[in-house]
Each structure stands twice: as C-alpha cells, then as structure tokens.
Amino acid sequence: MNIKKATFKGGTHLSYNKELTSGLNVETSIPPEEIILPVSMHIGAPAKPIVEVGDKVKMGQKVAEATGFVSVPIHSSVSGEVIAIEPRLHPNGQKVLSIIIKNDMLDTPDENMHPNSDYKNLDSKEILNIIKEAGIVGLGGATFPTHVKLSIPEGKKVEYLILNAAECEAYLTNDDALMMTNSDDIIKGLEIVMYVLGIDKAYIGIEDNKKDAIEKMAKSAQALNVDIYCLATKYPQGSEKHIIKAISGREVPSGKLPIDVGCVVLNVATAKAIKEAVIDGKPLIERIATITGHGIKTPKRMLIRIGTPIEHVLAQCGGFTDAEKFILGGPMMGISHFSSDTPVIKGGSGFLLLNEKEIDLSESNDCIRCGKCVSACPMRLLPLMISNASVNNDFEKAEKYNAMDCIECGACSYVCPAKRMLVSNMRVAKREITAIRKEKAALAEAKAKEAKN
Ligand code: SF4
Ligand code: SF4
C-alpha cells in the first residue's frame, strides 16, 4: 500500500466547524413511533408501493419496489403496521407519496435477504442484483442507484476505482465517524466492488485533516492493493470530478461521466452499505448523520433509521436554542428548509441548525471586479459573467459561458466580498438552459415528424 499527497486547482478554504461533533461517539437514535418513507429517495423513477394500509410489515421488509433500471426499492426500518399511504412533505420541499408505518417496537426482522459469508460464490450479476434489491444509493448525498453506477457499459473499462472519504463540506463529520467505527466494513465493501468490476487495485482519497481516519483505513486496507491519497483540505475536494482529477490526473469532460475517463467513485458509507447487503443480508434501512450547528443544544452524530421524522432526531439533541436557519446537508451544497416536519431519507447526511452569528445576513452589493470568484471556481468558470447573464435573462450567453458545467458548489458565493448571489443565479441559469434545450428538442422532434408525414 502507498500513501500519497494530491489536490486540484481552485477551490477555497472554509470555516469548517467540524470540532462541534468530531470525536463524539456515534449514538443510536431512539426508534420513532412512526416512520415516513417517501417512494422517492433516489435519482430515477420513484418506487411503487407493494403494501396496503392495514398490512403488517417486518423490519427490513421491502415495502415499495423499483420501477425501472434507474430506480431502487424501499424497505421498512421498523416492524409494525402500514397506517397510511399518502403525500407527505419531502426534504426537497415538495409533497411526495409516502408510506407511513406505525412502529410496534418489536423490530421483528424480515428474512427475505440472505447473508453470503463468501461473496465469491456469487457472480457480478448476482451481486449487482443484491445491491439493487437492498435499495443502495450513493450515500454521499447524490443518491444515484449504486447498481447502475457499477453496471459498466460495453466498451468502457474501469481503471480507477476511487473510494471517496474526503468529506469536504463544513460541519459534517458522519463519514469521519464511519471510518473511525467501521473501517473494516468499508474496506470489505470496497473489496466486493473490486470483485464485481474485475479489478485488482483501488484508490482511497481522504482529506489530510482526518489523521486518525487515515490510520484506521490504512490498517483495514493492509491486505488489499490500495493507494491512499491524503488530499489537501480544501473545498470541494470531495466533488466527484475533483477527487478524480486529484487522484488520477484525468478530467471528466463537459457533459461526460466519470466512466468515460475510466473512473468510478464510491462514497465510504455506500461501500459499508454494500458490505452489509452482500455479506450480512441487510437492506439499507439506517444511516449515520451529523446533527450540528450553534442553533442546536447538543450537537451529535447519530445512527438513524431511514424514515425517522427529523423533529424526533432534533428532540434527542435537546431541541433548538437560537436557530435562525435550518439546512438539510452541508452549509455549501445543502438545502435550506422551512420545516423539520420531514423524514430522514437515504441521502440525509446532515441537519444543521445555524444561529445568527453563523449565517451571513449582509446585503448583496455591486460587483467590485476583484476576481475572487474566478480564482475559487473549481470548474474554471467565470461566475460573475454567468451570474450577470442569468440576472439579465440572457440564458444563451450563460450557456456560452458554460453555465451547465457549474457543480453548484457555492465556492464563488462564499468568497465574494460583495455577497453577490452567485450560486443561486447559476442554479437559475442551469434550470432555464435545461428548459430551453428541452423545448428545442421537442420542437425539432415535432418538425421531423411533420416532415415524415
Ligand atoms: S458554484 Fe459553480 S460557478 Fe460557483 S464556484 Fe462552484 S462550480 Fe464555480
Ligand atoms: S467575487 Fe464577487 S465582487 Fe469579486 S468579481 Fe466575483 S462577483 Fe465580483
């Protein structure tokens, strides 16, 4: 095993505030009386309920099935009774069809998934099916179905399998906690993925502010052919494109995927979930999340059952103190929310309650042309130009400035001394460009049809 150093150009240094939770033990959240399972907790087609109101369910039982290749099933994280199937508020701010289960507090296990102590008795296809059936998605927050990511298209070859342990967002320490407590499971998951992909070498990227985690992971990975990269602590080091650049030196071209440059990136929590599904026969029904910020009484790192109401989790942290802002995820890429009346979903890595001192309430001023946003942009874009085009509704111009390459990391807004709403304007530009492209495609299709007739 080799330990190396690496990073990427651009990016910025944040006020990390990780000390609020780093070093704390992971507490197991008290099971709630009711869980709420939205049928959409992943990228792709929503799952379809296969239970009805009044049905008794077991812990780990599949309650909604995948509705296509890019879709995953949903499992109950408690045993009990289905009491409703109805739209409920989702962390994305929309109402989404959800299965509500009353917990009987017995945790009666479902026995439909089987353990496989020797995964090498299975072939790649069988393992990919187990990963799908366990409902596994990217747990770094992307929630893309993992079986799809690991189904390599014909003609493509994986040369770099990268385990993403960077956790570059401020405040969040859940991946760090996982590496400190479950490094063997993470590495077993990585080993399974190497077997599925038929490769004999992997790479692990960890930011160099996680010395203990680096040691733990190195120890667990001793028997594997793995290079560990100690990455400079810089935001957004954990973005898929930037960890690929830092480790492989390769660039994912605009509009392309990591596999187009021979790379697959997997988050550490996803690797652990793969081990649990394949070896232990356990579907994805819980995850570790960071509950933190100066607006919550007792910041914690907790192992939480999927579907647990966030309010129930916050109550176990002593409730709010003087919280001014509630964010789902990290402060840079998370979503500000108006309500904690939503469930913990698969991609729910953090819940931040920030007080007045932690949030910047200063007003947006005129651009002073300092260029700081340009230096910070890890995608080498011109944030000020795209932002101006977006504000002026000139989306053609925004597209010319490659707005679609923006990864919405927020580094530009973070460094801007004029407090311009750069990332919000990027999002608007991307949304509008996507809509214009769709409209153009529909028009072209209609014209082609007309010409045929
Ligand atoms: S949000 Fe977009 S434009 Fe701003 S720094 Fe990140 S990638 Fe660049
Ligand atoms: S960082 Fe802000 S003030 Fe400086 S050039 Fe960019 S938009 Fe203008």
Side-chain angles (χ1 to χ4, degrees):
M1 181 185 4
N2 292 310
I3 299 194
K4 301 179 177 182
K5 292 204 164 207
T7 191
F8 67 98
K9 277 194 186 150
T12 189
H13 298 280
L14 308 175
S15 300
Y16 283 98
N17 291 304
K18 290 189 188 252
E19 68 288 349
L20 286 170
T21 53
S22 58
L24 296 178
N25 287 336
V26 176
E27 283 183 32
T28 302
S29 169
I30 298 164
E33 284 179 9
E34 248 176 56
I35 57 163
I36 305 154
L37 298 171
V39 294
S40 191
M41 293 193 241
H42 52 266
I43 288 180
K48 182 172 157 234
I50 50 171
V51 287
E52 288 178 7
V53 174
D55 284 359
K56 299 271 189 250
V57 297
K58 293 181 177 172
M59 184 173 72
Q61 182 178 327
K62 185 157 78 172
V63 292
E65 65 186 1
T67 52
F69 181 56
V70 187
S71 180
V72 289
I74 313 276
H75 304 79
S76 175
S77 59
V78 299
S79 58
E81 185 182 334
V82 179
I83 54 167
I85 301 177
E86 62 190 23
R88 287 283 184 101
L89 187 64
H90 187 280
N92 68 9
Q94 314 271 320
K95 285 212 166 183
V96 169
L97 186 69
S98 304
I99 301 166
I100 323 300
I101 299 169
K102 189 169 172 47
N103 189 357
D104 63 12
M105 300 291 173
L106 298 174
D107 283 351
T108 311
D110 182 59
E111 270 137 27
N112 276 330
M113 277 191 72
H114 306 290
N116 299 284
S117 53
D118 187 1
Y119 66 87
K120 288 190 178 163
N121 288 331
L122 305 166
D123 64 27
S124 298
K125 231 178 164 183
E126 288 168 319
I127 294 178
L128 285 176
N129 193 45
I130 292 173
I131 292 171
K132 179 177 184 182
E133 281 304 304
I136 298 175
V137 296
L139 295 176
T143 66
F144 188 70
T146 303
H147 67 279
V148 181
K149 185 180 254 192
L150 299 180
S151 299
I152 308 303
E154 267 203 37
K156 307 273 180 201
K157 193 173 159 223
V158 181
E159 289 159 298
Y160 284 88
L161 169 61
I162 298 170
L163 191 63
N164 188 348
E167 200 170 46
C168 61
E169 261 278 17
Y171 287 89
L172 303 186
T173 64
N174 35 288
D175 283 352
D176 187 31
L178 198 64
M179 289 188 275
M180 295 305 294
T181 53
N182 291 87
S183 58
D184 287 348
D185 286 349
I186 296 168
I187 296 299
K188 184 55 88 179
L190 179 67
E191 191 186 307
I192 294 169
V193 175
M194 288 167 78
Y195 172 77
V196 167
L197 300 177
I199 55 174
D200 61 6
K201 176 151 191 172
Y203 301 81
I204 302 175
I206 312 181
E207 278 190 322
D208 58 11
N209 61 351
K210 301 178 186 73
K211 301 265 182 276
D212 295 340
I214 292 170
E215 234 173 75
K216 281 258 180 195
M217 294 290 278
K219 202 168 166 210
S220 295
Q222 254 168 1
L224 279 189
N225 184 8
V226 163
D227 279 354
I228 296 187
Y229 278 74
C230 300
L231 307 168
T233 300
K234 189 167 64 163
Y235 182 79
Q237 185 64 83
S239 113
E240 207 168 53
K241 288 186 173 178
H242 297 93
I243 203 165
I244 287 173
K245 176 71 181 164
I247 291 180
S248 72
R250 298 180 181 189
E251 276 192 30
V252 183
S254 178
K256 298 281 180 188
L257 296 170
I259 191 59
D260 295 317
V261 292
C263 298
V264 167
V265 182
L266 208 66
N267 169 266
V268 281
T270 313
K272 176 180 171 267
I274 290 172
K275 180 265 169 183
E276 289 181 339
V278 178
I279 309 272
D280 309 332
K282 184 180 163 191
L284 181 58
I285 56 170
E286 59 188 11
R287 69 155 299 138
I288 295 180
T290 314
I291 305 98
T292 187
H294 286 99
I296 187 99
K297 206 164 179 193
T298 316
K300 290 187 179 184
R301 308 197 277 195
M302 297 183 104
L303 179 64
I304 308 167
R305 299 186 193 212
I306 305 293
T308 300
I310 293 174
E311 273 179 350
H312 179 78
V313 177
L314 299 181
Q316 292 172 71
C317 299
F320 312 145
T321 49
D322 52 353
E324 288 286 333
K325 195 169 186 182
F326 174 44
I327 300 177
L328 298 173
M332 298 298 283
M333 294 194 77
I335 308 170
S336 291
H337 225 277
F338 55 90
S339 169
S340 56
D341 187 20
T342 63
V344 174
I345 56 172
K346 293 179 181 180
S349 53
F351 309 106
L352 305 192
L353 285 128
L354 306 180
N355 68 15
E356 206 179 318
K357 284 187 195 145
E358 294 171 287
I359 51 179
D360 196 344
L361 297 170
S362 33
E363 301 232 320
S364 179
N365 292 307
D366 289 345
C367 170
I368 56 168
R369 303 243 153 205
C370 65
K372 284 190 178 175
C373 55
V374 181
S375 313
C377 179
M379 296 305 294
R380 285 172 279 168
L381 302 175
L382 297 174
L384 73 164
M385 301 304 280
I386 302 172
S387 173
N388 285 347
S390 180
V391 169
N392 293 325
N393 290 330
D394 190 346
F395 301 111
E396 208 175 299
K397 194 170 182 185
E399 194 173 11
K400 276 191 191 137
Y401 279 116
N402 302 313
M404 294 308 282
D405 285 346
C406 169
I407 57 169
E408 299 177 26
C409 68
C412 50
S413 296
Y414 186 80
V415 298
C416 176
K419 302 297 162 205
R420 307 284 304 159
M421 294 174 68
L422 300 170
V423 69
S424 313
N425 296 336
M426 301 293 153
R427 287 190 185 121
V428 171
K430 286 175 73 178
R431 197 182 59 222
E432 292 300 321
I433 293 166
T434 307
I436 293 167
R437 282 180 181 177
K438 269 190 192 159
E439 215 172 278
K440 279 185 182 165
L443 208 68
E445 200 181 298
K447 272 190 182 165
K449 262 190 195 161
E450 205 180 287
K452 235 182 181 180
N453 295 334

